Amino acid sequence: MIPVILSGGSGSRLWPLSRKLFPKQFLALTGEQTLFQQTVERLAFEGMQQPLLVCNKEHRFIVKEQLTARKLAVQGMLLEPFGRNTAPAVALAAMKLVEEGRDELMLILPADHVIEDQKAFQRSLALATNAAERGEMVLFGIPATRPETGYGYIRCDMSGGGNLPEGANRVVQFVEKPDEVRAQQFVESGDYFWNSGMFLFRASVFLEELKKHDLDIFDTCQATLERSHRNGDEVLIDPATFACCPDDSIDYAVMEKTRLACVVPLSAGWNDVGSWSSIWEVHDKDENGNVIKGDVIAEDSRNCLVHGNGKLVTVLGLDDIVVVETKDAMMVAHKDKVQDVKKLVARMDAQN
Ligand code: GDD
Ligand code: MG
């Protein structure tokens, strides 16, 4: 089994801490190690090869530094000149493997997740392996417990139909990032899983489905790989060809459309640490439900996240507010609105 770590996102919802040149996967947001280091370390068990990494070429030195610091290694890196989202990133990795005669199971892993229960993760992986070996495309599904709008929602046929091995359930409906009203309905129904963004399938199965559902991405990625430059275990993705590649996520381009999708449930203390509210979720709180970091005084405030980074930050009479201070920027937002921090980043990009 070949783990493929996707680490090319910019983590814009965690601005101002996460920056384009130093995005969230390379930050120690939940402990001493960065999310990227935790992701690589989680794979150190029998039967798992060293990971293949797909990331932005600007990040290659951060990656190497973070691997060396923990005595970790990868089997290779695909270095993108710019992001075209996850469908092309997975396609390039799958094409490289097939080209090398290694049509094996690929375990797709985002670089920005927390998984608390390693044993539970390995148990789900074993069930997923049975299904993927039979040609299925497995999504790891987290039972949906709150109306997060930043996730994909999946309903399954839980009756054991669909001729699938134990633990795998056929996908009936997949809705990527619904609005709040729909997300609320999905959670209330109790029938939905969140898409964890982790997948398991054979490289050639993914490529067949991509060809079927998004020929443009398939063709452009194939042309891109042919023109890309190889340097030892690194592949420098050709910018001119890759620029013509449509920007789309694996969820929209393939997983929502394929008939081969099935879910293996994962209950392993998963959190995608994608927004300031998930950072608040995963941290220990004080007696008022506040998560405080740095030089902070919080008075008469509840369920806030206050992140100081040099200056003294004082807050008074706030509920459910996120305050993040860095050297050159400061953000104050309501906790219910933090999915939209990326809108702030888009406005800044438009001004530059
Ligand atoms: N190499 C590469 N290139 N990696 C990328 C790119 C890219 O262009 N874009 C994103 N990634 C990486 C990110 O670094 C992250 O590790 C992973 O791919 C997923 O991308 P996100 O941008 O974080 O996706 P998301 O959080 O909005 O949504 C996905 O994950 C959710 C769970 O965390 C979807 O799969 C949702 O359905 C899912 O619920
Ligand atoms: Mg994410």
Side-chain angles (χ1 to χ4, degrees):
M1 185 181 299
I2 303 174
V4 175
I5 300 180
L6 303 177
S7 173
S10 58
S12 57
R13 277 175 292 165
L14 286 182
W15 185 86
L17 216 56
S18 176
R19 301 292 172 105
K20 280 203 181 71
L21 287 176
F22 214 102
K24 65 167 173 184
Q25 58 269 31
F26 302 118
L27 298 171
L29 288 169
T30 60
E32 278 175 21
Q33 289 179 55
T34 69
L35 296 172
F36 169 69
Q37 288 170 323
Q38 290 179 35
T39 306
V40 180
E41 255 176 35
R42 198 175 295 132
L43 298 167
F45 57 88
E46 217 185 301
M48 196 60 87
Q49 298 182 26
Q50 282 179 347
L52 179 63
L53 184 66
V54 193
C55 69
N56 192 288
K57 84 174 195 308
E58 302 280 356
H59 300 149
R60 78 216 275 192
F61 298 111
I62 304 177
V63 163
K64 285 182 183 164
E65 212 175 281
Q66 297 207 347
L67 288 171
T68 310
R70 299 292 303 175
K71 297 197 174 64
L72 299 168
V74 292
Q75 61 168 278
M77 288 201 236
L78 287 154
L79 299 168
E80 299 166 311
F82 35 76
R84 277 290 181 261
N85 215 323
T86 48
V90 176
L92 292 168
M95 285 169 181
K96 178 180 186 289
L97 294 174
V98 169
E99 183 190 285
E100 291 167 356
R102 301 165 68 205
D103 183 15
E104 296 178 42
L105 295 190
M106 301 169 74
L107 174 64
I108 309 298
L109 298 168
D112 54 357
H113 287 179
V114 170
I115 293 179
E116 280 165 11
D117 186 345
Q118 172 77 6
K119 288 230 166 74
F121 169 60
Q122 283 175 246
R123 274 197 302 273
S124 291
L125 188 58
L127 295 173
T129 305
N130 292 338
E133 275 173 346
R134 289 211 214 160
E136 304 290 344
M137 301 184 79
V138 182
L139 296 128
F140 292 87
I142 318 292
T145 49
R146 49 172 204 282
E148 277 276 346
T149 53
Y151 296 157
Y153 284 70
I154 306 166
R155 189 161 58 84
C156 293
D157 172 7
M158 302 297 282
S159 68
N163 205 14
L164 289 164
E166 189 211 332
N169 311 281
R170 183 63 69 208
V171 172
V172 177
Q173 186 194 15
F174 186 143
V175 183
E176 179 65 4
K177 305 201 171 122
D179 61 29
E180 219 167 309
V181 177
R182 282 189 94 191
Q184 185 70 44
Q185 288 165 354
F186 292 161
V187 173
E188 276 167 16
S189 82
D191 294 336
Y192 284 79
F193 290 98
W194 287 325
N195 173 24
S196 66
M198 294 189 271
F199 310 99
L200 185 72
F201 39 65
R202 193 168 295 286
S204 56
V205 170
F206 172 77
L207 291 175
E208 274 306 310
E209 290 304 290
L210 178 67
K211 204 177 193 174
K212 213 181 283 171
H213 299 293
D214 203 318
L215 188 59
D216 204 1
I217 293 185
F218 181 90
D219 285 343
T220 324
C221 285
Q222 200 144 55
T224 301
L225 201 60
E226 274 163 26
R227 281 168 210 149
S228 294
H229 178 73
R230 280 145 218 260
N231 180 13
D233 60 2
E234 292 180 2
V235 183
L236 269 163
I237 298 304
D238 177 60
T241 331
F242 199 47
C244 306
C245 188
D247 182 308
D248 208 357
S249 73
I250 181 174
D251 317 285
Y252 286 121
V254 181
M255 299 312 293
E256 261 193 4
K257 297 179 182 140
T258 178
R259 290 175 161 204
L260 301 177
C262 61
V263 163
V264 167
L266 177 69
S267 294
W270 173 92
N271 193 306
D272 104 316
V273 215
S275 65
W276 286 111
S277 58
S278 30
I279 300 270
W280 178 82
E281 292 276 342
V282 297
H283 275 92
D284 291 340
K285 302 169 186 66
D286 69 12
E287 65 279 10
N288 295 313
N290 296 314
V291 173
I292 301 290
K293 199 167 171 200
D295 199 2
V296 172
I297 299 173
E299 184 65 32
D300 191 18
S301 296
R302 281 154 299 272
N303 302 322
C304 293
L305 184 146
V306 189
H307 197 124
N309 197 18
K311 294 190 190 69
L312 168 67
V313 182
T314 58
V315 297
L316 176 62
L318 297 184
D319 284 358
D320 299 303
I321 299 292
V322 174
V323 181
V324 182
E325 178 258 334
T326 66
K327 232 180 236 155
D328 60 348
M330 165 117 184
M331 188 204 60
V332 182
H334 195 281
K335 211 148 86 253
D336 290 348
K337 290 283 172 195
V338 290
Q339 293 293 341
D340 289 340
V341 172
K342 60 179 174 224
K343 290 187 185 164
L344 296 175
V345 176
R347 279 184 66 171
M348 279 178 284
D349 286 346
Q351 279 169 17
N352 289 329

